[in-house]
Amino acid sequence: MEQTTRALTVRKSIDVTGIVQGVGFRPFVYRLAHECSLTGFAANTPSGVAIEVQGDPDLIEQFLTRLQSEAPPLAKITSLTPHEMEVQSDTAFRIVSSRLDSPPKALISPDVAVCADCLSEMMNPRDRRFRYPFINCTNCGPRFTIIHDIPYDRLRTSMASFRMCASCQAEYDDPSNRRFHAQPNACWDCGPHLRLWSADGSPVDTAEPIRETARLLERDAIVAVKGLGGFHLACNAASEAAVNLLRERKHRVEKPFALMFRGLPEIERYCVVDEPARKILLSAERPIVLLPRRPEAAVASGIAPNNRFLGAFLHYTPLHHLLFASTKLPALVMTSANLSEEPIAIDNQEAVRRLQSIADGFLVHDRDILRRCDDSVVRVAAGRSQQLRRSRGFVPVPVTIERESEPILAVGGELKNTVCVVRGSEAFLSQHVGDLENLESYRFFQESLDHLQRILEVHPKVIAYDLHPDYFSTKWALAQEGMHLIGVQHHHAHIAACMAENHLDGKVIGIALDGTGYGTDGAIWGGEVLLADYNGFERAAHFEYVPLPGGAAAIHEPWRMAVSYLSKHYGKYFGGLDLSFTKGIDTRRLHVVQQMIHHEIHSPRTSSCGRLFDAVAALAGVRSTVNFEAQAAIELEMAAHDSTDEGSYPFDLFPDGTHWRIGTQNLFQSIVDDLLRQDCIADISRRFHTGLVQLFADLAEKIRAQNKLNRVCLSGGCFQNLLLFELMVSGLRAKSFEVYFHSEVPAGDGGISLGQALIASARLRAQS
Ligand SMILES: [Zn+2]
Ligand SMILES: [Zn+2]
Ligand SMILES: [Zn+2]
């Protein structure tokens, strides 16, 4: 009798890796084991969760299947390995304490929007957490932004200072509870609390800080609201006065503001929302989604001037929900709380110090934000979601790479900086660090790479960096002692990043179009076709060089680039052309710029595609100076949407040694002719976009004929231009190319740290 029982009982050990800690995985395993009548245990380990189950073999099979198909919403299983083992004598299924016998490798979860269960408790007057703004459970709440070290438990988070009350502790200890081991678990009795402060940081005497905040917003005030990854500056999105005041105080001219909405129906009233966009809006990551705005959208004119899109997102913290429940306002501006391009403020006192000239009040709380993390920005293009800024909700989820690599730190570029740490076959990109042009940003850069290395428990001896000698990240890398340093060309990194996330190996045709990247010849590149793999690249084509009069000044004043191109093709004084463009420029400044170009003073050579966009935008009268990066190019793109013109402007191709030089004489002559005939700007812009696509499709064909390559990778900031991007994808597909582009990481400079890391990894392999 005893023998038959034994024959029907087996035991299996199962190692689960991925994001399986702090996401309710063990209670789920516990429930599942009970449902399948299995005994054994589950424990957190350095790499994930270890499970042993014992019982009927069929039920164990069922357990294994359901382990994957019914895992909690936030769990991401990367591997699951079962092994048969000897039957033991346990009588129940238990959750046992963590086993930390080797360095931790388990992944930390990103921050997650409040879940439906917590929301319904929060809105239920009979629940003990009724209207509690910090309600959370293992399926939702803060993670990455409150963790200062691993393994992930309450002591190593900013919840350490809050001692759980008996009720919270009971939930925390109960394996069948949704809050079992929910590290940020809290309630009115034991957790963080909100306060409203006035502009000078003094407490406002109110028992209802959220309702009071809502009143302030309804009266057109600006309130700094402490969120998950930092403070937002909030104001009524429909109020011209509030939005103008915010712009004035924040010193932010025309750059679009993101809008947080009270619900999906409201977003749909303001914007066109298709199915993929709806999914992203409702996802637990809750990024800002760029959506085509409806003409009747009831927002202040200053929200996103000259832009056809609105950046929209849904409320994602319990606090946001309570704020919207306290007002009828459908949408609030929710913009990162900072002065122009500084990092987002996270600390209460720091917020008051930095923002008191902007905010009329501060809605603060006593749960510290340990990691800055801006809202992510996503759009849908060519049928896929594309990251424009990958941050809250996505970091620190890794990008899986094809090959195991030794640990590498890649420090990214100068603008929209991110850093990347490779561990094994996973690449971890940091949150958006931003433009490294002030002291606060430098500190944030340093903090981000320290924190990433700490939570991943990896300390690379190899650093990959951009070749630009003036980039802060480059200078930082070169100053590190005892490291193996690997310099990577900017556009090569762009293409490698695109290859990496598409899991490509071998050679590709890489089209890298952006504003600025340091070339191997010391010129500023930015309109490049490369024959590239991870090991290296050849330059297959590029725009001919033109002077960039005044260097960075030309980026802020696109009219300088128009002067540069006109001087090239029409001579120093444009051959007496009668263009309205020239009439709009101060004669003295025009003369200075012409002299700079003529005598090659402070005018580096550039093949930048971004600057070509600037030149065309300025010449066509779209914009001669900009208030934020790429504004002229964005407005030129917006203009093209009103045109159905099917023409395209011609470019010139010159063979030059082993590559093609792209000339622009025909292009500018055509544009000038059209301007003199007073064609509309929409048509001119459209023809320019179509011409670029034609140009690169032709080039790709020539390169395919010579090199037998059919895979094309698109990368670089210019592909944030939706029209250019979608036309390019369809133009290349029409010629039967396999077209690869970004989805998980940005096409702009926020993605290059990934490419740098992959190139460094390949070089190390080649050397060994
Ligand atoms: Zn929850
Ligand atoms: Zn409590
Ligand atoms: Zn770039």
Side-chain angles (χ1 to χ4, degrees), residues 100 214 261 341 684:
L100 295 174
F261 285 84
E341 299 302 323
I684 291 174

Side-chain angles (χ1 to χ4, degrees), residues 133-144:
F134 303 95
I135 189 168
N136 68 83
C137 71
T138 48
N139 298 326
C140 74
R143 296 287 188 280
F144 177 70

Side-chain angles (χ1 to χ4, degrees), residues 420-432:
C420 174
V421 170
V422 172
R423 185 182 76 181
S425 56
E426 290 171 324
F428 297 82
L429 279 90
S430 71
Q431 68 272 49
H432 167 80

